[in-house]
Amino acid sequence: MLDSLKELRAEKGITQKQLGDAVGVTQQAINSYENSDTQPEYSTLIKLADFFNVSTDYILGHKAETRVNDEVIKYLSDEEDARVMKKYLSLDRKQKKVFSDFIDLVTDTGNSR
């Protein structure tokens, strides 16, 4: 259930123990959450979301972004902008980071001419 927790922890490059220490639970508790043996208490779930700067829905694996994404896209008047935005919003966190880095590279290159 909490596959996203393992993914977030890996992205940040921290151990289960380091995460546990940061949110006030044991390494065994983090391991148990990641292996779907148990679920975190509500207060721990909030601490995890705050630590990673994501929503509790994201930690739980719920993809509630679709409705919000549609609201954002409807305000784009250019079809190409809307197409690119739809694709961007469908990416996972890791893919968005790669995309963002690429955009930075392209815009930084363009500014140095």
Side-chain angles (χ1 to χ4, degrees), residues 1-11 14-20 25-40 48 52 59:
M1 178 177 128
L2 297 181
D3 291 336
S4 58
L5 182 60
K6 191 174 199 174
E7 177 185 309
L8 289 166
R9 187 175 56 77
E11 284 179 17
I14 60 172
T15 65
Q16 290 178 340
K17 179 164 181 9
Q18 289 170 320
L19 177 56
V25 298
T26 65
Q27 177 272 326
Q28 292 82 1
I30 298 297
N31 184 58
S32 185
Y33 303 155
E34 289 182 359
N35 292 312
S36 299
D37 296 334
T38 61
Q39 295 180 10
L48 289 166
F52 289 112
I59 295 278

Side-chain angles (χ1 to χ4, degrees), residues 16-77:
Q16 290 178 340
K17 179 164 181 9
Q18 289 170 320
L19 177 56
D21 290 346
V23 298
V25 298
T26 65
Q27 177 272 326
Q28 292 82 1
I30 298 297
N31 184 58
S32 185
Y33 303 155
E34 289 182 359
N35 292 312
S36 299
D37 296 334
T38 61
Q39 295 180 10
E41 292 183 10
Y42 182 71
S43 60
T44 303
L45 180 62
I46 291 171
K47 288 177 187 176
L48 289 166
D50 288 347
F51 181 82
F52 289 112
N53 196 30
V54 296
S55 69
T56 54
D57 278 351
Y58 186 88
I59 295 278
L60 294 171
H62 180 67
K63 306 293 182 192
E65 303 127 6
T66 305
R67 194 174 64 207
V68 173
N69 294 348
D70 290 344
E71 287 296 311
V72 169
I73 291 167
K74 80 178 185 182
Y75 290 104
L76 298 173
S77 58

